[in-house]
Amino acid sequence: MTIFPLAAIFFSALASPVGASLSDPHQQPTKPSLRGLKNTSPPSYSGLAPVSNCNTAPAWADANIGWSDLTTDQLSAAVFLGYTESIWSIRLAGDDSEELASFNEDYADKEWTDLTPPQQVAFVYLGENAGTYSGFYSDYDFDELPARAQAAANAVGYTQDVWDNCVAGELCNAQMDNMRWRGLSKLQRTNLKVLGYSCWVWDKYDPDAEVWKAKKPPTYLGLPPSATCSTPPAWADESLGWKGLTTDQLNAAKFLGYEEKTWNAAPAYFDGKEWADLIPAQQIAFAYLGYNSGSFSDFYNDYWFAEMPSEVQVAANAVGYTQNIWDNCAAETCSAQVDSKEWKFLSLMQRNNLKVLGYDCWTWSN
């Protein structure tokens, strides 16, 4: 479960109530233009707007929901609001395209109350409400919140002091920050709904992941390189510069946010991320740079035994790293049976278990 501080979720990287988007600290959340709608007849809907639940994402929030996945009513609403298929596909991508910029041009200063009733209804069919439309009020000071939103924020522990002083990357101190939706009281849920939240958004929405999912991953020419005893993986080779990367590795690196000047340091976005937190496209890109779940996690050096994934615990035990040894060993005194052996002298079972921990022939020896 990933729980975010209140008013910090919409298109922001764990931002505060004064947070901003991933691509530009001052960028407004992606929303459609209202140009031309005065002369457009509102749609006739065949059913009620979809109700959010804990298992189904609202249409606006999930990059996996494509244009063809919209219901007939949602498609009518989207077209009425000015969406096209291409704009819909990049709505969460942090894209700087002229098309998206033009699309948002007349929209940035519009409040929910500035919309006409047919526009509000159309947004509701896409899963929006006053709170989500306003980016969960993430760019508002407390005094700028509508009176109803101020009362709701106060009721769940976001006093004016907490709201205005919550710092990006740090947890705010509202009482329910680390609770799942089902663990909240009915009163807490009611107030959070005023601020735009629903069960799925509160429990599962990760704006960082949605932006990544909306990006088009590279097309690779071949398979990721296999580790050998004489060739280090790209991430471990200090002599391998940006220009030494293969075409596939270069595409993977660029996709992950590496640049030539920062090739020797992983993008800050991945600080604190677990392998399991990565989307498949990110895992594949890291594999082209020689990473696996273990090496990405620094061979679990900073983990207590109980903190490791269960399959890693099993692998560690299998090569002699019991919980007692793992938690108490220093580099020079560990006593697991494999410590002093060269890779070529390890059994196939030992090698396979060490691979689960992230090792290969080169990393084990070097």
Side-chain angles (χ1 to χ4, degrees):
M1 174 181 67
T2 304
I3 298 297
F4 298 92
L6 189 60
I9 295 185
F10 196 62
F11 298 107
S12 60
L14 291 179
S16 67
V18 291
S21 82
L22 287 171
S23 57
D24 183 342
H26 305 292
Q27 182 179 334
Q28 292 293 322
T30 299
K31 294 289 179 181
S33 168
L34 304 179
R35 289 174 295 176
L37 291 183
K38 291 181 180 179
N39 299 319
T40 303
S41 298
S44 295
Y45 301 107
S46 61
L48 298 176
V51 177
S52 176
N53 59 52
C54 290
N55 299 315
T56 305
W60 64 265
D62 190 344
N64 290 326
I65 298 178
W67 189 252
S68 62
D69 299 316
L70 298 176
T71 66
T72 301
D73 282 345
Q74 289 174 325
L75 194 61
S76 297
V79 171
F80 172 67
L81 291 169
Y83 279 106
T84 63
E85 183 171 1
S86 61
I87 293 173
W88 181 263
S89 69
I90 61 174
R91 72 194 188 281
L92 298 178
D95 198 295
D96 294 328
S97 72
E98 291 184 8
E99 183 182 21
L100 190 58
S102 175
F103 185 70
N104 293 322
E105 185 177 343
D106 295 336
Y107 177 80
D109 295 329
K110 292 288 193 299
E111 303 283 349
W112 180 259
T113 52
D114 296 328
L115 303 179
T116 66
Q119 292 162 1
Q120 292 179 349
V121 170
F123 276 119
V124 168
Y125 273 87
L126 298 180
E128 299 265 24
N129 55 48
T132 61
Y133 177 93
S134 303
F136 305 97
Y137 304 104
S138 60
D139 291 325
Y140 289 63
D141 288 333
F142 191 87
D143 288 338
E144 297 173 331
L145 294 172
R148 188 163 176 253
Q150 285 187 0
N154 259 319
V156 292
Y158 279 97
T159 63
Q160 181 166 4
D161 181 64
V162 172
W163 186 279
D164 287 341
N165 294 289
C166 181
V167 179
E170 295 182 6
L171 288 178
C172 294
N173 297 317
Q175 61 199 40
M176 72 298 151
D177 278 340
N178 294 312
M179 297 178 67
R180 290 180 67 87
W181 188 261
R182 288 190 176 96
L184 300 172
S185 69
K186 184 176 181 180
L187 180 62
Q188 288 173 323
R189 294 183 195 177
T190 299
N191 283 296
L192 287 173
K193 287 177 181 178
V194 173
L195 295 169
Y197 293 95
S198 63
C199 178
W200 188 92
V201 172
W202 182 256
D203 283 351
K204 299 180 181 179
Y205 181 51
D206 180 351
D208 297 356
E210 296 308 324
V211 168
W212 279 97
K213 284 191 289 186
K215 287 184 177 182
K216 185 178 180 179
T219 299
Y220 300 108
L221 303 175
L223 296 174
S226 298
T228 69
C229 291
S230 57
T231 305
W235 64 266
D237 189 350
E238 296 182 359
S239 66
L240 184 65
W242 186 254
K243 294 179 180 178
L245 298 176
T246 66
T247 299
D248 281 345
Q249 290 174 328
L250 197 60
N251 288 335
K254 289 178 179 178
F255 173 70
L256 293 169
Y258 284 97
E259 298 176 356
E260 183 171 3
K261 294 180 180 179
T262 59
W263 166 235
N264 291 325
Y269 169 78
F270 297 103
D271 289 347
K273 289 284 192 297
E274 306 282 350
W275 183 260
D277 296 332
L278 306 182
I279 63 171
Q282 292 169 334
Q283 293 178 348
I284 291 170
F286 273 115
Y288 274 90
L289 300 181
Y291 281 102
N292 54 47
S293 58
S295 57
F296 182 86
S297 304
D298 194 23
F299 307 98
Y300 304 100
N301 283 332
D302 293 327
Y303 289 64
W304 296 104
F305 191 91
E307 295 174 332
M308 295 193 296
S310 57
E311 67 274 13
V312 179
Q313 292 182 4
V314 171
N317 260 317
V319 292
Y321 279 102
T322 63
Q323 181 166 3
N324 182 61
I325 291 174
W326 186 276
D327 288 343
N328 295 289
C329 81
E332 68 276 11
T333 61
C334 289
S335 55
Q337 63 196 47
V338 295
D339 282 340
S340 59
K341 290 186 178 181
E342 294 183 40
W343 186 263
K344 62 184 179 182
F345 295 126
L346 297 173
S347 69
L348 180 61
M349 185 184 73
Q350 289 173 325
R351 292 184 194 179
N352 287 337
N353 281 299
L354 287 172
K355 286 177 181 178
V356 174
L357 293 168
Y359 292 99
D360 54 41
C361 180
W362 190 91
T363 52
W364 180 254
S365 302
N366 291 275

